[in-house]
Amino acid sequence: MVGKLKALLWDLDGTLAETEELHREAFNRAFAHFGLPLYWDQETYARLLWTTGGKERLKRALEETPGAPTLSWEEIGEVHRYKTDLYLQLLREEGIVLRPGVRRLLAEAREAGVALVLCTTTSPENAEAFLEGAGLRGWFSLVLAGDVVPRKKPDPSIYLLAQERLGLKPQEGVVVEDSRNGLLSAMGAGFPVLITPSLYALGQDYHEATALLPHLGEPGNPAAVLQGPRAGERVVVDLSYLEEVRGWWST
Ligand code: XBP
Ligand code: MG
């Protein structure tokens, strides 16, 4: 018996929406602005995404690029602030398209009094602008973002902090994530994890996930369960399916 579902915890980039192309574009424009000898094509970015956090990703890329300058952490922060401004501008220009089923499940949880929590590696201003732009301002009772924890995903710190802030036990929540780093982080904090891989995280190893589906599904477009309760069937992920996920996880 796992008790009542109290919180639904969400990752942002790749889970709520496919935002990584905007991040990539903003990084590349920032590199050009600062005259840095870096350009991240999609293949390079897919590899670099294994390092979470934009500043950490930039530091790694500079270190592994022959001839690139050595920047201090402060200088990296300056490039990253410029990138953040560009990202916010791109987000406004391009608009936000939530992934299938996201708004529906958020609305159902909110209506049922299940707390919505955002646990994201991206910077807090990006998270706030995203929620505003998506018409979700005020929906999340807790937003944890960026440097709120010293160690980013796949470290479990951000999900452990959510538990601490909410007085939440792992069995009282379900996490929705899109990547292996997210899965490891949420699992490390003991949560059941439902994975909907994003474009940049297709084909990663999700064998420990409690449930794996290509997306959350909509009534006219259910999702084929690849792993977890009702594997092989097509479902629309709603609160009742999340109860099955929790039951599956606790056995
Ligand atoms: C994804 C990330 C982020 C973004 C960039 O985080 O790793 O670093 O790519 O954001 P999540 P910043 O999926 O946990 O939301 O440049 O603001 O760090
Ligand atoms: Mg993600």
Side-chain angles (χ1 to χ4, degrees), residues 27-50:
F27 276 116
N28 283 328
R29 289 191 195 181
F31 300 155
H33 175 82
F34 285 94
L36 291 171
L38 294 175
Y39 176 82
W40 293 348
D41 59 18
Q42 290 186 337
E43 201 185 321
T44 306
Y45 197 58
R47 189 172 53 77
L48 289 171
L49 273 173
W50 286 102

Side-chain angles (χ1 to χ4, degrees), residues 11-14 20 23 27 45 49 51-55 57 80 83-84 119-123 126 152-153 177-178:
D11 167 53
L12 197 170
D13 293 302
E20 286 300 352
H23 283 294
F27 276 116
Y45 197 58
L49 273 173
T51 302
T52 58
K55 295 191 287 291
R57 190 172 303 141
H80 188 255
K83 174 261 165 182
T84 298
C119 292
T120 175
T121 304
T122 204
S123 309
N126 296 350
K152 293 177 177 159
K153 300 173 190 176
E177 274 279 0
D178 73 300

Side-chain angles (χ1 to χ4, degrees), residues 78-222:
E78 193 186 330
V79 176
H80 188 255
R81 263 191 304 282
Y82 191 81
K83 174 261 165 182
T84 298
D85 287 344
L86 291 172
Y87 174 79
L88 292 171
Q89 192 185 320
L90 286 168
L91 203 62
R92 277 193 300 274
E93 283 167 13
E94 303 285 322
I96 294 165
V97 180
L98 296 178
R99 291 190 63 192
V102 167
R103 192 179 299 279
R104 175 188 51 71
L105 183 57
L106 286 169
E108 189 190 356
R110 188 176 185 232
E111 185 73 17
V114 175
L116 297 172
V117 180
L118 194 63
C119 292
T120 175
T121 304
T122 204
S123 309
E125 50 271 61
N126 296 350
E128 292 304 334
F130 182 95
L131 295 179
E132 175 81 44
L136 298 171
R137 199 161 87 112
W139 284 43
F140 285 76
S141 48
L142 179 64
V143 174
L144 299 177
D147 297 328
V148 66
V149 284
R151 286 178 306 281
K152 293 177 177 159
K153 300 173 190 176
D155 192 277
S157 299
I158 195 159
Y159 286 109
L160 291 171
L161 183 60
Q163 288 172 9
E164 192 187 309
R165 292 272 181 93
L166 296 166
L168 188 74
K169 299 188 186 80
Q171 64 269 26
E172 294 171 331
V174 173
V175 171
V176 189
E177 274 279 0
D178 73 300
S179 67
R180 175 147 192 86
N181 275 330
L183 169 64
L184 292 174
S185 173
M187 257 178 36
F191 283 118
V193 191
L194 186 149
I195 295 284
T196 55
S198 59
L199 292 173
Y200 268 108
L202 292 173
Q204 294 183 357
D205 179 3
Y206 298 115
H207 78 273
E208 309 98 326
T210 325
L212 175 65
L213 305 95
H215 52 80
L216 297 174
E218 291 285 19
N221 178 28

